[in-house]
């Protein structure tokens, strides 16, 4: 979809508009001869004369147009200072768009490659408090030491039970509760008792361990507002400005006790809250580190140095936390960017000035509190004005906004369009090489800007050295993104030599080897390690999130080529010992053990089904299979039911190859001599209705008018019925049998219902309940039923109903019965 939209962005008409023509006069005259259509003969209104249009176009060609959707005066002031900048008069024709609020993806999709806007789509992954907490916690799970820079965080109500366990009688701790999407300290409160935990499930809160021993300035608690420019996402381009603000609380700090929890002007440092205090003093001298309740970060650094603090290390730690926070969401930023602008190779259409809120504790340890996507550019004091003006000016200077660059991009867009019309498209390798080359050129240009001393920004990322330092963290972020999204990340653009290998962290290698050894030992002793058997709360949450997003419950293995190459090159002794299951999964010998003609059982979205292997595809390991209803599927890699030795379970009865499906599925054909899980009945609603694709399961269906015969002819089920049936299907996939008494008959067998022993029934019933809760918590897409069209011959099979997306577990092809293994898709 994104590609289509982009195609429209550079229509022939747009590219031949007067401004583009004037910019590239020479080429224009050549092109005009070829493509300009005859001008319309008669128009009612009078067109401006050609020479005036030309003049306007040539004026436009020399200017940078900015479009401000902002309430801040300082922005207008900074933009007006550039001689060749001009305010845009149309909402479509501009070079720079500044908007105080987030910009939706569809607006970004419509931008041309020379246009820039001041937000990234998807930055809410760190600018919303709950997303920031979740993303950083995920990284902390893999890098506990590296991601210790933010306070312990719980998202409520999701993490309610875990959070409540933090309250012990032994030592009273303080927690700070913040509304998920709040700002300016609104709705924030402190608690020390479990009874005060908010139980309003209609809104999301973020709970954090309260930093009760902060560093103080003149006895006041304070936090830092640091300005970080992100001017690209693939690779990340991150700059930290030397100027920042120090915001002090307006009442002397005292550690939290049950009596002072509500004193916001002691515990919160927000300007919006404290300026209401009659004690609040505005800063009058930006260079004075002891003046007012808002001070300059540079002046405070000097003050801390004088007090003997190691400020250089502090700054390095702050820079590190900024890079790590952004790297955690780089894959998602890059994904949004490339999806919306697939043609852009410059990585320069978005930039964002983020406000990082950092607090220091008594040990001078920096803690990240929050990331703001729209930090205030209000200038209520001289200090505000000085800092914000410089931040904006330095940011614009680093964007390389000039008419020549615009001309070049337009030319290239035109050339690309011409190439496309000739059917030529650059291959992915060329494109990656091109993106890397542009990234290197841009780095050189930016470094030149930074070195001339006019800019207050310092580059934090990228550089070949920094890439190496953060390589593992970045790879982990990519793996997490792939696991969450069930997709493969496009190869990240890196400045380092593409053939270079990532540096190996010795401590992690040793840790990994030790884990592999103990796992191997446990496997030999025939016992499962406890660590693997027990899922942590975080893992369970991830599974639920994945299901809610319509992804597979289990994370996919990393199949990126680079990952494989890395595995191959791993030092001997450091790789994990592959278990029998992993050996079985190895690509080369995957389907060697099935032969053409074999009857095997494969996993579909309806459970295990018997199919005949019709062909093997050499090289790819894929097979062609045919279902018993005659449906034929080519080149697929279904999940095959295997026995304890890892060999496919084969059946002996040949399947009918007739095109018409038999009454489906008959109980006897499902339960073979193999160890396949018993077929579970599909739960039915009181009306006896079941979803279309599963309709054949239920004898009771026949009694329902309009539901006899092929499933495709039946009425649409209700969402509730769909959920019931889905739960049944999932349990079937899990091999769980649940028998319910239905009109005196067991729904599984049609035999008089003998209730299962409570012990056997209870877990299945619980599982069903849990699954139904899970399913009902996510949007259910009721199957679209394809009915028989009047033009179809009476005996032709009705097409299978198409199940909605995001149904169960792994992503399913809408047109396929087979649950394609995501690693292969
Ligand atoms: P908002 O977006 O509403 O400003 P913040 O997360 O920035 O919310 O928190 C507001 C203020 O609360 C901060 O400026 C800081 O003074 C205080 N604060 C926030 N989190 C903590 C914490 N974990 N420990 C101590 N103080 C905190």
């Amino acid at each position: 979809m994104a590609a289509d939209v982009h195609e429209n962005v550079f229509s022939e008409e747009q590219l031949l508009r007067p401004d583009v023509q004037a910019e590239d006069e020479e080429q224009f005259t050549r092109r005009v001869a070829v493509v300009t259509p005859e001008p319309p003969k008669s128009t009612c209104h009078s067109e401006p004369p050609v020479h005036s249009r030309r003049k306007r176009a040539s004026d436009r060609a020399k200017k940078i147009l900015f479009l401000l959707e902002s309430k801040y005066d300082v922005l207008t002031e900074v933009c007006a200072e550039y001689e060749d900048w001009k305010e845009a008069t149309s909402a479509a024709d501009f070079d720079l768009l500044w908007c105080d609020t987030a910009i939706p993806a569809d607006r970004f999709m419509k931008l041309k490659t020379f246009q820039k806007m001041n937000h990234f789509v998807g930055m809410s992954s760190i600018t919303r408090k709950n997303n920031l907490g979740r993303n950083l916690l995920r990284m902390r799970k893999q890098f506990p030491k590296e991601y210790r820079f933010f306070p312990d965080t719980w998202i409520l109500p999701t993490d309610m039970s875990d959070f409540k366990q933090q309250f012990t009688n032994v030592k009273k701790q303080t927690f700070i509760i913040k509304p998920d999407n709040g700002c300016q300290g609104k709705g924030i409160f402190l608690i020390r008792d479990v009874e005060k935990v908010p139980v309003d499930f209609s809104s999301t809160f973020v709970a954090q361990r309260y930093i009760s021993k902060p560093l103080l300035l003149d006895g006041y608690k304070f936090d830092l507002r640091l300005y970080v420019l992100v001017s690209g996402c693939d690779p990340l381009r991150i700059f930290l400005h030397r100027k920042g603000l120090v915001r002090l609380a307006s009442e002397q700090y005292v550690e939290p006790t049950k009596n002072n929890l509500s004193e916001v002007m002691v515990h919160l440092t927000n300007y919006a809250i404290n300026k209401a205090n009659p004690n609040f003093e505005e800063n009058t001298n930006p260079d004075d580190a002891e003046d007012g309740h808002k001070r300059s970060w540079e002046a405070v650094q000097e003050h801390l140095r004088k007090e003997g603090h190691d400020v250089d290390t502090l700054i390095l730690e702050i820079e590190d936390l900024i890079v790590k926070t952004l790297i955690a969401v780089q894959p998602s930023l890059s994904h949004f960017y490339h999806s919306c602008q697939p043609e852009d190779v410059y990585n320069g259409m978005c930039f964002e000035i983020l406000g990082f809120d950092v607090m220091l504790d008594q040990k001078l340890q920096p803690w990240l509190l929050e990331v703001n996507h729209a930090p205030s550019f209000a200038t209520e004091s001289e200090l505000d004005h000085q800092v914000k003006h410089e931040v904006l000016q330095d940011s614009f200077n680093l964007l390389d906004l000039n008419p020549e660059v615009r001309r070049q991009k337009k030319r290239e867009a035109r050339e690309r369009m011409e190439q496309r019309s000739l059917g030529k498209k650059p291959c992915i390798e060329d494109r990656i090489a091109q993106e890397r080359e542009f990234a290197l050129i841009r780095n050189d240009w930016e470094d030149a800007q930074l070195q001339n001393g006019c800019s207050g920004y310092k580059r934090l990322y990228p550089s070949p050295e920094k890439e190496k330092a953060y390589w593992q963290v970045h790879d982990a972020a990519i793996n997490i993104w792939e696991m969450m999204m069930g997709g493969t990340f496009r190869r990240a653009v890196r400045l380092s030599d593409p053939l270079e290998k990532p540096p190996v962290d010795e401590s992690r290698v040793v840790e990994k080897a030790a884990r592999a050894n103990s796992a191997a030992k446990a496997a030999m002793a025939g016992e499962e390690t406890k660590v693997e058997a027990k899922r942590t709360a975080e893992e369970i949450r991830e599974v639920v999130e994945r299901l809610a997003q319509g992804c597979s419950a289990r994370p996919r293995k990393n199949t990126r080529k680079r990952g494989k190459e890395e595995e191959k090159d791993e030092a001997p002794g450091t790789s994990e010992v592959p278990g029998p299951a992993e050996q079985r999964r190895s690509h080369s010998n995957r389907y060697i053990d099935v032969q053409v003609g074999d009857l095997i059982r494969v996993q579909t979205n309806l459970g295990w089904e018997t199919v005949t292997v019709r062909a093997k595809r050499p090289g790819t390991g894929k097979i062609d299979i045919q279902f018993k209803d005659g449906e034929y599927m080519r080149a697929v890699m279904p999940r095959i039911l295997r026995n304890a030795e890892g060999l496919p379970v084969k059946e002996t009865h040949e399947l009918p190859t007739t095109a018409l499906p038999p009454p489906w599925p008959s109980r006897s054909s499902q339960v073979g001599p193999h160890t396949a899980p018993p077929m579970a009945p599909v739960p039915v609603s009181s009306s006896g209705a079941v979803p279309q694709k599963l309709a054949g399961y239920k004898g009771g269906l026949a009694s329902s008018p309009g539901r006899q015969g092929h499933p495709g002819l039946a009425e649409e089920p209700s969402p509730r019925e769909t959920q019931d049936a889905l739960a049944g299907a999932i349990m079937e996939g899990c091999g769980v049998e649940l028998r319910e008494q239905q009109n005196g008959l067991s729904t599984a067998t049609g035999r008089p219902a003998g209730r299962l022993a409570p012990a056997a029934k209870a877990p299945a019933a619980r599982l069903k309940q849990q699954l139904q809760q899970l399913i009902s918590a996510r949007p259910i897409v009721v199957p679209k039923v394809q009915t028989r069209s009047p033009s179809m011959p009476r005996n032709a099979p009705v097409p299978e109903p198409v199940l909605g997306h995001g149904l169960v577990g792994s992503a399913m092809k809408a047109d396929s019965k087979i649950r394609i293994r995501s690693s292969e898709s």
Side-chain angles (χ1 to χ4, degrees):
M1 186 187 74
D4 295 342
V5 172
H6 195 79
E7 295 275 312
N8 292 337
V9 170
F10 290 104
S11 64
E12 199 82 3
E13 191 194 341
Q14 281 169 312
L15 286 169
L16 293 175
R17 274 191 2 223
D19 59 323
V20 186
Q21 294 164 1
E23 283 182 0
D24 212 351
E25 201 71 41
E26 210 185 284
Q27 287 188 21
F28 166 67
T29 18
R30 246 189 298 130
R31 278 182 69 85
V32 170
V34 185
V35 289
T36 311
E38 283 281 301
K41 289 261 157 44
S42 65
T43 43
C44 310
H45 56 276
S46 58
E47 286 276 311
V50 174
H51 66 268
S52 86
R53 265 189 290 147
R54 279 273 165 105
K55 186 169 177 310
R56 246 189 297 141
S58 79
D59 274 358
R60 165 72 181 100
K62 290 179 206 140
K63 295 276 182 208
I64 290 293
L65 295 191
F66 58 90
L67 182 65
L68 300 184
E69 294 175 7
S70 170
K71 60 180 183 218
Y72 300 121
D73 296 337
V74 67
L75 260 161
T76 326
E77 190 186 315
V78 172
C79 291
E81 283 168 13
Y82 292 89
E83 271 178 15
D84 56 350
W85 286 28
K86 205 176 131 193
E87 182 138 23
T89 45
S90 124
D93 186 19
F94 58 82
D95 298 287
L96 171 71
L97 165 66
W98 182 284
C99 186
D100 288 347
T101 54
I103 297 177
D106 59 339
R107 195 164 181 193
F108 178 44
M109 280 165 137
K110 289 175 190 150
L111 292 199
K112 298 160 196 162
T113 44
F114 64 87
Q115 293 179 314
K116 289 179 196 288
M117 65 180 208
N118 71 321
H119 289 288
F120 282 88
V121 177
M123 197 52 104
S124 60
S125 313
I126 51 170
T127 56
R128 290 259 325 222
K129 292 185 179 77
N130 60 344
N131 293 345
L132 176 72
R134 215 185 277 305
N135 283 315
L136 294 184
L137 284 171
R138 282 193 192 115
M139 293 300 285
R140 184 188 277 182
K141 224 169 84 184
Q142 298 205 17
F143 298 93
K145 281 188 225 135
E146 287 88 342
Y147 277 83
R148 282 238 63 89
F149 56 77
F150 69 101
D152 290 340
T153 302
W154 296 264
I155 289 131
L156 305 181
T158 319
D159 303 337
M160 185 64 85
S161 62
D162 193 18
F163 179 53
K164 284 191 171 170
Q165 283 171 17
Q166 307 300 316
F167 294 84
T168 56
N169 289 333
V170 187
K171 192 179 166 215
K172 282 265 182 213
Q173 293 188 57
T174 311
F175 297 91
I176 184 165
I177 313 285
K178 315 175 190 182
D180 158 41
N181 54 358
C183 63
Q184 300 187 330
K186 283 178 209 146
I188 295 184
F189 56 95
L190 306 189
I191 57 167
R192 282 165 76 84
D193 293 306
V194 69
E195 296 83 49
K196 301 276 167 54
V197 176
V199 284
D200 173 11
F201 288 162
S202 62
S203 36
T204 310
F205 291 92
V206 169
Q208 270 185 353
R209 208 176 285 287
Y210 187 73
I211 301 163
S212 54
K213 293 188 191 309
L215 187 70
L216 303 180
L217 277 179
D218 305 335
Y220 296 104
K221 175 177 171 175
F222 69 93
D223 76 350
L224 313 177
R225 162 58 56 86
L226 303 171
Y227 295 95
V228 173
L229 170 69
V230 183
S231 61
C233 63
D234 190 18
L236 271 176
R237 301 196 159 273
I238 313 172
F239 304 87
L240 170 64
H241 206 276
R242 64 171 174 235
K243 292 225 155 129
L245 294 170
V246 179
R247 300 164 310 175
L248 279 71
S250 51
E251 297 288 345
Q252 291 277 323
Y253 184 72
V254 262
E255 282 197 30
T257 61
K258 70 175 186 323
N259 297 324
N260 69 10
L261 292 183
S262 58
E263 293 179 15
V264 285
M265 293 180 187
V266 173
H267 296 292
L268 307 190
T269 52
N270 298 82
Y271 175 69
I273 289 180
N274 287 287
K275 72 176 177 184
N277 189 342
N279 295 342
F280 185 87
E281 287 172 20
E282 283 287 0
N283 179 290
T284 50
N285 176 7
D287 299 328
D288 187 351
E290 292 174 9
D291 180 23
H293 288 100
K294 206 190 243 189
R295 301 178 186 177
S296 137
W297 171 222
E298 281 182 311
V300 170
Q301 282 179 51
E302 275 312 303
H303 177 80
L304 294 177
R305 275 202 179 94
K306 280 188 202 140
E307 283 192 342
H309 291 291
D310 183 358
V311 178
D312 294 335
T313 309
L314 167 65
I315 291 179
L316 287 180
E317 284 171 356
I318 291 176
E319 290 174 1
D320 180 59
L321 79 78
I322 292 171
V323 175
K324 281 178 184 156
T325 304
L326 282 158
I327 282 186
V329 295
Q330 187 276 337
S332 119
L333 292 180
S334 159
H335 173 74
F336 279 119
Y337 187 90
H338 292 297
S339 307
C340 294
Q341 289 290 345
E343 295 289 311
D344 180 62
V345 282
Y346 295 103
N347 179 32
M349 295 180 65
C350 297
F351 69 98
E352 194 146 357
I353 302 177
L354 296 170
F356 271 68
D357 289 354
V358 176
M359 218 174 109
L360 309 179
D361 68 12
Q362 281 178 358
K363 295 180 185 156
L364 212 69
Q365 168 90 27
W367 294 92
L368 175 66
L369 297 184
E370 202 198 359
V371 183
N372 289 278
H373 77 288
S376 164
F377 281 95
T379 47
E380 293 178 21
S381 66
E382 173 56 25
L383 171 67
D384 272 342
H385 187 268
Q386 222 182 61
V387 171
K388 293 171 186 177
H389 185 281
E390 195 172 322
V391 166
L392 284 172
Q393 202 173 42
D394 291 343
S395 304
F396 293 152
N397 287 345
L398 269 182
L399 298 183
D400 194 16
L401 277 163
N402 75 65
E404 181 45 47
V405 173
R406 182 183 59 212
R407 261 193 291 278
Q408 186 196 334
K409 286 184 179 170
K410 283 184 174 179
R411 248 196 314 270
E412 282 171 9
R414 202 160 47 209
E415 278 163 20
R416 264 199 306 274
M417 201 177 71
E418 280 170 359
Q419 294 290 318
R420 256 207 317 268
S421 66
L422 295 174
K424 291 183 194 161
K425 225 181 150 192
C427 73
I428 186 75
E429 297 302 327
D430 289 349
R431 181 170 166 146
I432 287 174
Q434 201 183 24
E435 285 175 343
R436 178 168 174 266
E437 196 187 315
F438 286 137
L440 287 166
I441 295 171
R442 189 158 156 202
N443 253 41
D444 291 344
W445 181 86
E446 285 166 350
D447 285 343
Q449 301 297 305
L450 299 178
Q451 273 156 22
N452 72 16
C454 304
S455 179
Y457 274 118
K458 175 183 176 188
R459 177 195 297 288
L460 304 190
Y461 204 85
S463 67
E465 302 74 44
K466 285 282 173 80
E467 274 179 358
K468 273 181 214 144
Y470 292 100
W471 203 305
Q472 287 184 338
V473 174
H474 189 201
D475 268 358
I478 293 173
N479 284 338
I480 290 173
W481 183 87
E482 288 188 339
M483 187 198 81
M484 298 305 297
M485 304 309 294
T488 303
F489 186 66
R490 93 196 274 286
R491 211 180 308 167
V493 179
R494 283 181 169 143
L495 303 183
S496 351
D497 184 347
L499 299 176
E500 212 170 317
K501 291 228 209 68
V504 180
D505 178 348
E506 291 299 329
S507 61
R508 293 184 74 81
V509 169
V510 172
E511 201 182 298
K512 208 172 157 193
R515 249 188 296 133
N517 276 342
S518 60
K521 268 190 214 152
M524 275 163 66
E527 58 183 56
E528 249 185 54
T529 48
K530 265 196 174 171
V531 187
E532 279 168 356
K534 193 170 173 292
R535 285 196 159 178
T536 62
E538 179 65 17
E539 279 166 342
I540 292 169
R541 196 182 314 122
E542 269 171 19
V543 167
V544 173
E545 272 178 17
R546 288 175 59 72
L547 286 171
Q549 289 176 12
C551 304
S552 149
R554 247 172 304 159
R556 51 178 297 172
K557 286 252 174 233
N558 181 10
T559 53
R560 283 174 303 131
K561 205 167 170 208
R562 194 186 62 232
K564 277 187 189 167
E565 280 160 9
E566 276 163 20
E567 271 165 35
K568 251 191 270 163
D569 298 337
E570 224 168 0
T574 57
S575 64
E576 298 203 353
V577 181
E582 267 158 341
Q583 282 169 3
R584 272 204 311 273
R585 269 186 234 124
S586 97
H587 189 79
S588 54
N589 67 355
R590 194 143 178 197
Y591 289 153
I592 283 178
D593 46 10
V594 294
Q595 302 304 330
V596 174
D598 279 354
L599 277 174
I600 55 169
R601 287 172 68 78
V602 298
Q603 196 175 30
T604 73
N605 49 6
L606 299 176
W608 295 99
E609 285 197 57
T610 308
V611 297
T612 311
V613 180
R614 291 293 176 206
K616 288 175 79 176
R617 307 260 166 167
T620 61
K622 294 182 181 173
I623 53 177
D624 290 5
I625 52 173
Q626 190 167 24
F627 285 81
K628 60 187 167 206
D629 61 2
E631 187 178 338
Y632 195 96
M633 301 196 75
R634 291 165 206 283
V636 289
M637 296 194 90
R639 185 172 199 182
I640 298 176
L641 186 70
R642 290 170 187 273
N643 61 20
E645 283 87 48
L647 297 170
V649 173
K650 292 183 188 166
E651 297 208 4
T652 45
H653 304 296
E654 178 59 75
L655 289 177
T657 48
T658 49
L660 266 179
W664 172 65
S666 82
R667 184 84 184 133
S668 59
S669 70
Q670 293 292 333
V671 185
H674 51 72
T675 54
M679 182 63 75
V682 175
V684 289
S685 69
S686 51
S687 68
V690 292
Q692 303 311 308
K693 184 136 186 167
L694 310 171
Y697 276 108
K698 178 66 179 96
L701 193 75
S703 61
S704 171
R707 288 174 190 250
Q708 273 175 330
H710 198 277
L713 292 169
E715 291 164 17
E716 280 195 10
S718 74
R720 177 73 240 167
E721 292 159 359
T722 311
Q723 285 168 12
D724 271 347
L726 290 178
I730 300 172
M731 286 191 292
E732 183 185 346
C734 303
V736 177
E737 185 171 15
L738 173 69
R739 293 168 193 228
E740 275 179 5
Q741 192 160 349
Q742 179 86 19
N743 303 331
L745 293 178
S746 154
T747 51
T749 58
R751 281 186 268 110
R755 277 190 169 277
L756 287 188
K761 186 178 173 183
R766 226 182 2 254
L767 176 60
K768 180 190 167 192
Q769 204 184 356
Q770 283 168 3
L771 286 169
Q772 277 175 339
Q773 276 170 5
L774 191 61
I775 291 165
S776 53
R778 51 202 293 244
I780 289 284
V781 181
V782 178
K784 279 191 214 126
V785 178
Q786 296 179 12
T787 46
R788 189 190 297 275
S789 90
S791 58
M792 279 170 80
R794 280 192 69 77
N795 59 350
V798 177
E800 284 291 325
V802 181
L803 284 177
H805 73 277
L807 191 59
V808 181
S810 60
M812 280 176 283
K813 279 194 163 182
D815 59 346
S816 162
K817 267 188 175 184
I818 298 282
R819 183 188 299 184
I820 303 293
R821 297 170 71 144
S822 51
S823 59
E824 307 301 332
S825 56

